[in-house]
Amino acid sequence: MGTLTILIIAALFNCCAIGSIHVFPVRPSSQWRAASEAVTLDQQELQIELGDNETIKLAFTSDEQRTVTIDFLYDYGDEELHDDPAGVIAPLDSVTLRTGETRMLDVRATKPGHVIIVCNSSDITLPSATYTRVDVERSYALRIITIVIGWTYFTAWTISFYPQIISNFRRKSVVGLNFDYVGLALMGHASYAIFNVGLFWIDSLQEEYMHRHPRGVIPVKDNDVLFTLHAVAATTATILQCIYYERNGQRMSWTAIALKAAGWTFILVSAILAGARTIEWLDFLYYTSYIKLGVTIVGYTPQVYMNFKRKSTVGWTIWNAFLDLLGGVLSLIQMFLIAHNHGEKGHIGSKGKRTSHEGSMMAR
């Protein structure tokens, strides 16, 4: 947990200053070994366009000559096993394999959606890790569009920090920029960085997540990590400007200081409890993400209230608001398109992601 501890200490130090190309974590081919036997599937992730067919290679190896029968169960994402694939793909027939034999499984997409094919056998003990996740989409072109939209809102959010930094630099002043807004933003970005870095780079946390969700997918991608680390750096740069540039007596309010103290105390206590094994480190990461969620909901309020009292936005650049709003709108569009492409009428993205983006839009 050394990397996670260093990140927490660095984030705590920073907070005191103001008073789709994706690289996925590598996962091995789905397999199980006991003694000298193995049942393997050559693909753990399979994406198919509606109406198309793909193949998966199923193999059985053993030091002994024997025969096993493999049948297939299906997980709809609820971590429960079912007898049918809910119409997403055509049901697979049972397969009998001799030692050293392989069989190509024909997977035919029949309805947009997600399903996990799980191997099952009465002849050999198989863990739930022997599976292939199948995503059936309406259109490959629509997937490309969602990837382009994703990188567009990522770019908008990334550059949204710089208009304020440039404005402060040119004016040599931060008068009009609310310090509560900046301070709370740093706590939100830093806490979310702890979550993303921990789940993306620390193997023990990934193993803990997969143990809790055996057929799950690590929910953090490389651009999530890149964005949050950049956000921490950019917000820290803004805070340094608040320290060194003319500020006309502006300071953080006692309310914001209390909120920051409560937030960091919550994170520190959670880390101590995780270190003492009272809670799991994975739960600690979830707690840090809740801090980010709370900051997103209330974090923009101080700046909006300050603008209202002054009847002016001088000192606070509108480009920050525009780019943030643009990113939020594009993000919601992407989630709706992904849901449509995979036939998810009742599930549009994750609750945390929706709340974060909608909160950003409402505040603007």
Side-chain angles (χ1 to χ4, degrees), residues 29-31 39-48 53-60 70 72-74 89-90 92-93 95 97 101-109 115-119 130-135:
S29 174
S30 176
Q31 67 176 22
V39 173
T40 61
L41 290 165
D42 71 334
Q43 296 187 67
Q44 202 164 42
E45 305 284 343
L46 190 62
Q47 199 146 25
I48 317 176
N53 292 48
E54 294 287 347
T55 56
I56 310 170
K57 183 167 71 175
L58 176 69
F60 171 61
I70 307 295
F72 304 97
L73 299 175
Y74 306 93
I89 60 174
L92 299 176
D93 295 329
V95 175
L97 296 173
E101 189 177 6
T102 62
R103 186 71 57 84
M104 302 305 296
L105 305 177
D106 186 37
V107 181
R108 181 164 57 88
V115 70
I116 302 172
I117 303 171
V118 183
C119 292
T130 310
Y131 67 86
T132 293
R133 180 185 310 279
V134 180
D135 293 327

Side-chain angles (χ1 to χ4, degrees), residues 164-177 179 237-250 315:
Q164 187 66 58
I165 293 175
I166 294 171
S167 174
N168 295 342
F169 174 76
R170 288 175 174 173
R171 297 167 62 236
K172 297 297 185 291
S173 170
V174 291
V175 175
L177 175 62
F179 287 12
T238 305
I239 287 178
L240 292 176
Q241 290 181 322
C242 292
I243 295 173
Y244 291 109
Y245 289 159
E246 198 272 324
R247 51 186 172 179
N248 196 27
Q250 288 183 192

Side-chain angles (χ1 to χ4, degrees), residues 76-200:
Y76 305 156
D78 54 3
E79 299 185 9
E80 298 289 337
L81 294 177
H82 307 270
D83 293 329
D84 68 273
V88 175
I89 60 174
L92 299 176
D93 295 329
S94 298
V95 175
T96 299
L97 296 173
R98 295 187 296 273
T99 298
E101 189 177 6
T102 62
R103 186 71 57 84
M104 302 305 296
L105 305 177
D106 186 37
V107 181
R108 181 164 57 88
T110 56
K111 187 179 77 172
H114 311 274
V115 70
I116 302 172
I117 303 171
V118 183
C119 292
N120 183 56
S121 178
S122 59
D123 301 319
I124 187 172
T125 302
L126 294 175
S128 58
T130 310
Y131 67 86
T132 293
R133 180 185 310 279
V134 180
D135 293 327
V136 178
E137 59 188 2
R138 297 180 191 274
S139 167
Y140 173 78
L142 193 55
R143 172 160 42 114
I144 298 301
I145 291 172
T146 61
I147 291 173
V148 171
I149 291 175
W151 281 105
T152 301
Y153 76 69
F154 171 82
T155 303
W157 278 337
T158 299
I159 65 178
S160 69
F161 297 94
Y162 291 98
Q164 187 66 58
I165 293 175
I166 294 171
S167 174
N168 295 342
F169 174 76
R170 288 175 174 173
R171 297 167 62 236
K172 297 297 185 291
S173 170
V174 291
V175 175
L177 175 62
N178 188 277
F179 287 12
D180 293 356
Y181 164 73
V182 180
L184 291 172
L186 179 61
M187 182 174 68
H189 293 313
S191 61
Y192 199 40
I194 293 172
F195 174 85
N196 286 333
V197 169
L199 206 49
F200 186 80

Side-chain angles (χ1 to χ4, degrees), residues 224-241:
D224 296 320
V225 177
L226 180 62
F227 173 77
T228 50
L229 292 179
H230 171 267
V232 169
T235 307
T236 301
T238 305
I239 287 178
L240 292 176
Q241 290 181 322

